[in-house]
Amino acid sequence: MVNHHHTGIVLKLLLIPMVLVYFSSGYAAEEISNISVQRQAELQNLLIQDCGSCHGMTLKGGLGPALTTDALKNKSRKMIEVTIALGRPGTPMPPWNRILTKEEIHWIVNILYTGVRL
Amino acid sequence: MMFFIKTIPVIFFFSLLGACSSMHLRGTGDLGVVIERASGSIQIVETTNKTALSRVVGLGDLSHASVVYSRDERYAYVFGRDGGLTKINILSSKITKRIIQSGNSIGGAISQDGKQVAVSNYKPGGVKIFDSNTLELIADIPATYGSENKQSKVVGLVDAPGQRFVFSLYDADEIWLADLASGKPVITKYKNIGRQPYDGLITPDGRYYIAGLFGEDGLVVLDLWYPEKGVKRILDNYGRGSKKMPVYKMPHLEGWAMTENYAFLPAVGRNTVLVVNRRNWKQVTSIAVHGQPVFVMARPDGRQVWVNFAYPRNDTVQVIDTDKLKVIKTLKPGKAILHMEFTPRGEQVWVSARDAGKVTIYDTENFNSVATLPMNKPSGIFFTHRAHRIGL
């Protein structure tokens, strides 16, 4: 990473997505240790099936907006986590913090940003 | 040479006869379709012997998929989330025609005369109407609203007597009545009906269109006998109320149970079923139930109402006695109960359990499970008798 200071601006820009990928995949790997494999399967099912009821099973949107990696790329990860936890007043999006822990919401958001296995 | 000329027609005749006798002629009145939402497939089922007959694949994203039937009950029209509209011959279990008519759709309806199939779309927001025979586009009705000509998501699309379709504009707070009697749509728009209509139903007699509001309490009624009188508000306290409880799955209005005196409605965000007097729309009582109700469906004779529930309490089905107005049975058919469908005269009910991967068939008199059918993430169950019901 230190070497980046010596590379040209163009190369730097090219590296940004790679760095993001690096961090996001590292992030996901970190979370796996906290949530059991069985719970991960449940969360994955929840995401595709139940979130999918409003956001579409391919996450391309429905009553709720699209949640594809493309749709999320310009949105802050923190904002998405807060939206899942607290819901969005004025819309049908309910607060999930009554059902999911902070870590579980974190894990789901990671999955969304790294691309869901459909 | 003579031999050939004489025998060819004879062979042809016998091969035809063979084909006919091996072909199993049957009606379709006891057939139905179960949506397998995750695999983009359906299973064709029959209710007499309670069996699955065949599977049809390649139907796209079937989350929230629904089905209407041609009036001869031979063809099922499957509306997919991804804008797919598929016409399936349920006798041969073959796709007759499949089109992608929009980017994102939510449901459909078939016209009174059976000649038009309408689809309500989220993206681009509006309704498209197709020839039910060919699936050729007859009319495109973009749901444009406001000064910027935005397009609203369309929900609660139903057929109404007189070759009409009624639907609600979620983003525009409007109800539109599309009259296709002349072949071209004539639209009547009802504006400022209330915030965020999220679903609609038509009463079984085809007279009243009722829309539920997400953005505020109350319901909106349009009397289709007197559409010129405009919309009315009823049940002002129906909704989430001042406390705005979170709603983990939007209740469905299509399944509203109507008995002789009462309508049974799913409360929004609360663990109750509301009982309302059908004459004056005043609440009679509320019945405490297991979770937030999603479908509240009356057995065809009106003696029982069956209820399923929103995530995370969605492993349960409850039965309400409509005379005693209380829960008389609680069943646990498996994880993620998504839908219920009664046989045409209601002696049995089919219940889909998505995460349990099965459909359970119950005897509605003694509540015994009489059969289970393995299915791949089953959701909606649609039997062919819907073909002859207004609004289904």
Side-chain angles (χ1 to χ4, degrees), chain B residues 131-203:
Chain B
D131 182 307
S132 63
N133 189 30
T134 61
L135 299 192
E136 305 279 340
L137 186 69
I138 295 174
D140 186 0
I141 307 170
T144 48
Y145 70 101
S147 50
E148 293 164 45
N149 273 336
K150 283 192 191 167
Q151 272 176 258
S152 169
K153 297 186 184 84
V154 172
V155 298
L157 167 69
V158 299
D159 60 287
Q163 285 298 110
R164 293 179 293 179
F165 291 106
V166 196
F167 47 92
S168 298
L169 279 61
Y170 177 79
D171 306 297
D173 304 340
E174 295 181 12
I175 291 173
W176 288 14
L177 174 61
D179 187 328
L180 280 114
S182 70
K184 279 194 180 151
V186 179
I187 312 282
T188 308
K189 299 177 185 178
Y190 302 89
K191 297 189 176 179
N192 300 314
I193 54 127
R195 275 180 290 139
Q196 292 168 308
Y198 67 92
D199 199 5
L201 70 83
I202 190 162
T203 49

Side-chain angles (χ1 to χ4, degrees), chain B residues 67-255:
Chain B
V67 172
V68 298
Y69 288 97
S70 61
R71 67 195 279 166
D72 65 3
E73 298 185 359
R74 182 172 186 171
Y75 298 99
Y77 300 88
V78 181
F79 307 99
R81 165 74 80 180
D82 54 5
L85 167 59
T86 313
K87 180 180 179 182
I88 294 166
N89 182 336
I90 57 171
L91 280 174
S92 63
S93 55
K94 293 226 158 57
I95 294 174
T96 306
K97 185 145 189 196
R98 174 169 163 79
I99 58 171
I100 300 293
Q101 54 82 39
S102 80
N104 200 318
S105 74
I106 192 64
I110 189 159
S111 63
Q112 185 177 36
D113 67 1
K115 290 184 177 160
Q116 298 165 351
V117 170
V119 193
S120 59
N121 290 316
Y122 280 169
K123 222 184 271 172
V127 169
K128 284 186 180 170
I129 298 171
F130 298 90
D131 182 307
S132 63
N133 189 30
T134 61
L135 299 192
E136 305 279 340
L137 186 69
I138 295 174
D140 186 0
I141 307 170
T144 48
Y145 70 101
S147 50
E148 293 164 45
N149 273 336
K150 283 192 191 167
Q151 272 176 258
S152 169
K153 297 186 184 84
V154 172
V155 298
L157 167 69
V158 299
D159 60 287
Q163 285 298 110
R164 293 179 293 179
F165 291 106
V166 196
F167 47 92
S168 298
L169 279 61
Y170 177 79
D171 306 297
D173 304 340
E174 295 181 12
I175 291 173
W176 288 14
L177 174 61
D179 187 328
L180 280 114
S182 70
K184 279 194 180 151
V186 179
I187 312 282
T188 308
K189 299 177 185 178
Y190 302 89
K191 297 189 176 179
N192 300 314
I193 54 127
R195 275 180 290 139
Q196 292 168 308
Y198 67 92
D199 199 5
L201 70 83
I202 190 162
T203 49
D205 59 6
R207 177 165 179 180
Y208 299 103
Y209 178 78
I210 303 175
L213 299 173
F214 191 79
E216 58 188 282
D217 287 351
L219 293 165
V220 186
V221 183
L222 176 62
D223 183 350
L224 294 167
W225 285 13
Y226 301 101
E228 68 282 0
K229 289 186 179 169
V231 298
K232 259 197 341 211
R233 290 290 282 268
I234 54 164
L235 270 178
D236 281 336
N237 57 353
Y238 179 75
R240 291 189 298 158
S242 50
K243 275 185 83 180
K244 299 264 184 265
M245 301 289 283
V247 181
Y248 289 99
K249 187 171 172 66
M250 302 287 262
H252 275 246
L253 298 191
E254 179 211 290

